[in-house]
Amino acid sequence: MRSVMLVDDEPLIVKGMQAIIDWDQNNMQIAGTACNGLEALAMMDEVPVDLIITDIMMPQMTGLELIRETKARNPYTKFIILSGYEEFKYVREGISLGVENYLLKPVNMDELEATIKHMQRDWEHEEMRQIQMDQSWRILRNNILQRWANETIDAKEFRERAQMLEIPMNKSTYCAASLRIVGDDRGDDPQIYLPGIAEQCEQIGNKGLPDGCGVICFPDQDGDIMLLFVSAGTEGSAEWQLQALNRMKQAVVEDTGARVWGIMGQSESTYLGFPKSCKSVKLWLQNHLFIDCNTFIMQVENEEATNQHQEKPGPAMEQFHKLLRDGEGTEVDRFIDEFFIAEGKEPCLPRTPFFNSAIQLMLAAKELEKTPDYGDIFGPLSRIHTLSKLKQLVRKVVHRTLDTYHTAEKTYSPHIMSVLEVVKNHYQDELSLKTLSQRLELHPNYLGQLFQQEVGTTFSDYVNQYRIERATHLLLYSDKKTAEIAGEVGYWDSTYFYRQFKKYAGVSPTELRSIYMKK
């Protein structure tokens, strides 16, 4: 609501102005009244106003003098002049001072209300421009902070941008932290606007900090809120940082209803060390799975305490293969549930052994499919941060396979059986419907339609899926280079192989190998 001050040396005029206009309906309120310019200025020292409606001729300080003095203090204040003087010199001076309107007494109320509505539209436009400027500033700052954290900005550009964007460069300590936001076990991760959450965290985190200390928050490409803690001294930094991190964590929990984990990195003595601190936080997150029932705040330097547990053995694959072949859905669920039980009281678990085992179980199920789609395995893995979500993914993939595998076995026509046999034995060679149709003495279009009708996918998709299946096994269980694997499965252009693998598996060959880390 906008605030208004009425300034006139005639009390009846002031009272009339207060009563004659419905200020609430115009989203305004009377902040005060004054009988001359000096009194108005004194009041504005205590209560700033958006609009001043003033007379011209008043004792001690005229309305025009009041306007000049107020403009010097706050150039955004707007003015309407009410005067009994129609002399041109007053009108001209009022216009030169940028008043909204010059109205003669007795006031035409329609004209006054029209002037007020015009000002409201101006205010709305100004607010929108300010919001757009603020958003542009934050977008630019977030981009620079992300590049700084990832070390993808050169030193000169960063120094120039940091000064403009108020990123401190002369503090005594720089420490990175992260808030990881994860949905509950029943659904997907919460749909939130990360830049807005980061802005809210920054406001909360900066409340009540010691002198010379501050927090800057920004979202990163992994969906985490990254935090930069800075302080002018080194003593007591850990205490206020953990308190601020806990306040921000709790605020995100209350705002989103999600579970939030806080990870604090190592402190560095200059701004040049901030990327190193960020890396320590992101590496910790990359290497751990959270136990769903507990959220916590942890410092990376205390990580050793979380790793005092034995290496988890892999699943009993022979038993699992038998359960899959027998179609024992209930027993399969029991096997998966028992394997993914968190033993001990650790607040988190090493990610690699659990991810490796999950991939083994899902690939075992995929081996039962004639045209396996690996996109529903590897694509979601990068978004999984808790043990329960990993277990849910394994159960989902395995059950999808069981639902199709144990239905009636599909019987193919002799022509399609011949095509499938050729793909199985010669997938590494150049294959086309034209060549196969000549061998089978069929028209290529007819063979393509027959293949899609019986197999449920196009010939091209089937061949690509088969090749990607073979490539997946080589990537996971051999040390061969990606280019070598591409050639072995029928792709002579490595770039094309990368595109096709990403399309069908949901991740690149490099990303797949980083997900499934060999022991």
Side-chain angles (χ1 to χ4, degrees):
M1 184 170 285
R2 297 288 177 173
S3 57
V4 182
M5 179 174 288
L6 305 177
V7 186
D8 200 304
D9 59 345
E10 297 184 41
L12 290 177
I13 296 290
V14 172
K15 288 183 179 179
M17 290 293 297
Q18 288 177 298
I20 203 168
I21 292 180
D22 189 341
W23 297 101
D24 285 339
Q25 187 176 353
N26 285 282
N27 198 31
M28 293 181 173
Q29 61 181 2
I30 303 298
T33 63
C35 62
N36 60 61
L38 283 178
E39 185 179 341
L41 284 176
M43 293 178 64
M44 281 189 288
D45 287 337
E46 302 294 331
V47 184
V49 296
D50 300 297
L51 169 64
I52 295 176
I53 300 178
T54 181
D55 189 11
I56 286 186
M57 300 306 295
M58 296 179 293
Q60 299 187 47
M61 178 180 281
T62 68
L64 295 175
E65 291 171 335
L66 169 63
I67 293 171
R68 277 193 292 269
E69 183 63 29
T70 304
K71 286 279 188 181
R73 299 184 183 187
N74 185 359
Y76 298 106
T77 304
K78 296 183 180 296
F79 298 88
I80 296 175
I81 292 177
L82 304 181
S83 177
Y85 295 88
E86 197 175 358
E87 295 183 23
F88 179 70
K89 67 176 183 177
Y90 293 134
V91 177
R92 181 178 60 189
E93 190 168 358
I95 292 173
S96 69
L97 290 171
V99 301
E100 299 300 315
N101 207 343
Y102 189 108
L103 304 178
L104 292 175
K105 298 177 182 178
V107 178
N108 182 317
M109 296 311 302
D110 290 338
E111 187 175 1
L112 176 58
E113 289 192 340
T115 302
I116 290 173
K117 291 186 183 300
H118 177 77
M119 284 190 302
Q120 287 174 330
R121 288 193 294 271
D122 287 346
W123 277 323
E124 289 174 0
H125 292 155
E126 289 171 6
E127 288 174 351
M128 185 58 64
R129 282 196 299 270
Q130 188 61 47
I131 289 172
Q132 291 171 346
M133 288 175 61
D134 289 345
Q135 289 177 340
S136 298
W137 184 86
R138 287 194 172 276
I139 290 171
L140 177 59
R141 193 186 69 162
N142 287 345
N143 176 265
I144 296 301
L145 288 167
Q146 289 171 9
R147 292 171 62 195
W148 181 26
N150 296 330
E151 296 183 288
T152 56
I153 185 171
D154 65 65
K156 181 181 178 182
E157 181 186 358
F158 175 72
R159 286 193 297 269
E160 293 173 352
R161 297 288 190 176
Q163 185 175 7
M164 179 183 69
L165 297 170
E166 301 175 3
I167 300 172
M169 299 176 61
N170 58 351
K171 297 293 184 177
S172 299
T173 61
Y174 291 77
C175 180
S178 178
L179 291 173
R180 172 151 287 181
I181 306 170
V182 180
D184 58 31
D185 296 341
R186 294 168 294 178
D188 296 329
D189 289 345
Q191 298 298 309
I192 59 176
Y193 180 59
L194 281 176
I197 294 292
E199 184 176 350
Q200 177 192 13
C201 285
E202 187 166 320
Q203 293 172 355
I204 293 170
N206 278 296
K207 291 181 179 178
L209 297 185
D211 292 341
C213 300
V215 184
I216 294 177
C217 305
F218 61 98
D220 73 358
Q221 64 273 17
D222 297 324
D224 297 322
I225 301 295
M226 295 301 297
L227 303 95
L228 164 62
F229 291 101
V230 296
S231 61
T234 57
E235 294 184 4
S237 293
E239 183 177 354
W240 73 260
Q241 289 170 1
L242 288 171
Q243 290 174 353
L245 183 59
N246 189 59
R247 289 199 307 273
M248 291 182 279
K249 171 181 175 290
Q250 191 59 37
V252 177
V253 170
E254 293 173 358
D255 189 58
T256 65
R259 293 168 297 175
V260 183
W261 283 268
I263 306 300
M264 180 77 71
Q266 299 172 348
S267 292
E268 301 293 334
S269 58
T270 73
Y271 76 92
L272 297 173
F274 177 64
K276 179 182 177 182
S277 186
C278 284
K279 282 184 179 179
S280 69
V281 171
K282 299 302 287 187
L283 184 62
W284 192 98
L285 289 168
Q286 179 183 327
N287 290 337
H288 291 83
L289 277 175
F290 296 121
I291 304 299
D292 304 87
C293 58
N294 300 316
T295 65
F296 55 83
I297 290 177
M298 176 170 289
Q299 292 179 281
V300 170
E301 49 260 60
N302 295 331
E303 176 186 350
E304 293 79 7
T306 70
N307 290 328
Q308 303 300 318
H309 46 67
Q310 296 180 347
E311 187 74 17
K312 185 174 181 64
M317 294 306 298
E318 289 188 12
Q319 178 187 355
F320 189 65
H321 278 292
K322 183 178 185 304
L323 293 175
L324 289 175
R325 290 192 299 270
D326 294 343
E328 296 288 346
T330 303
E331 292 301 317
V332 166
D333 284 345
R334 183 178 291 113
F335 181 97
I336 295 171
D337 290 343
E338 290 177 354
F339 181 80
F340 287 102
I341 289 177
E343 300 175 355
K345 298 181 179 180
E346 296 88 352
C348 52
L349 297 167
R351 180 183 296 254
T352 299
F354 283 94
F355 264 47
N356 285 357
S357 297
I359 291 172
Q360 288 178 356
L361 294 173
M362 290 186 285
L363 288 179
K366 286 293 182 182
E367 288 175 358
L368 301 177
E369 299 180 12
K370 293 186 179 299
T371 56
D373 177 8
Y374 294 105
D376 59 352
I377 293 181
F378 302 113
L381 277 176
S382 62
R383 301 187 296 273
I384 286 179
H385 310 299
T386 65
L387 187 62
S388 68
K389 285 289 185 71
L390 184 61
K391 181 177 71 174
Q392 286 178 17
L393 176 64
V394 174
R395 291 183 64 166
K396 179 180 178 181
V397 170
V398 170
H399 273 280
R400 186 178 294 141
T401 295
L402 290 177
D403 290 343
T404 57
Y405 176 70
H406 291 285
T407 56
E409 185 70 19
K410 177 73 175 178
T411 302
Y412 296 114
S413 65
H415 289 137
I416 299 305
M417 286 293 294
S418 297
V419 172
L420 296 177
E421 192 68 20
V422 170
V423 174
K424 178 180 178 181
N425 296 322
H426 301 281
Y427 63 88
Q428 66 272 37
D429 300 330
E430 185 175 348
L431 297 174
S432 70
L433 278 176
K434 182 177 180 181
T435 304
L436 292 172
S437 63
Q438 290 174 351
R439 182 186 302 181
L440 297 172
E441 298 181 349
L442 296 173
H443 193 280
N445 290 345
Y446 173 73
L447 181 58
Q449 292 171 0
L450 185 63
F451 188 93
Q452 185 162 4
Q453 180 181 343
E454 294 192 19
V455 180
T457 186
T458 65
F459 175 75
S460 175
D461 272 343
Y462 181 85
V463 172
N464 277 312
Q465 286 176 341
Y466 196 92
R467 287 171 171 169
I468 297 305
E469 176 189 0
R470 304 313 306 157
T472 298
H473 281 269
L474 291 171
L475 285 164
L476 295 180
Y477 304 121
S478 79
D479 294 323
K480 294 181 179 180
K481 294 182 179 180
T482 303
E484 184 181 357
I485 292 173
E488 284 194 20
V489 299
Y491 294 102
W492 306 111
D493 183 342
S494 296
T495 302
Y496 182 68
F497 169 66
Y498 264 82
R499 287 202 303 268
Q500 293 299 100
F501 196 94
K502 179 85 172 180
K503 174 182 176 182
Y504 288 97
V507 293
S508 70
T510 304
E511 290 170 334
L512 173 61
R513 274 186 159 164
S514 69
I515 291 172
Y516 186 89
M517 299 174 65
K518 299 180 181 64
K519 300 177 184 178

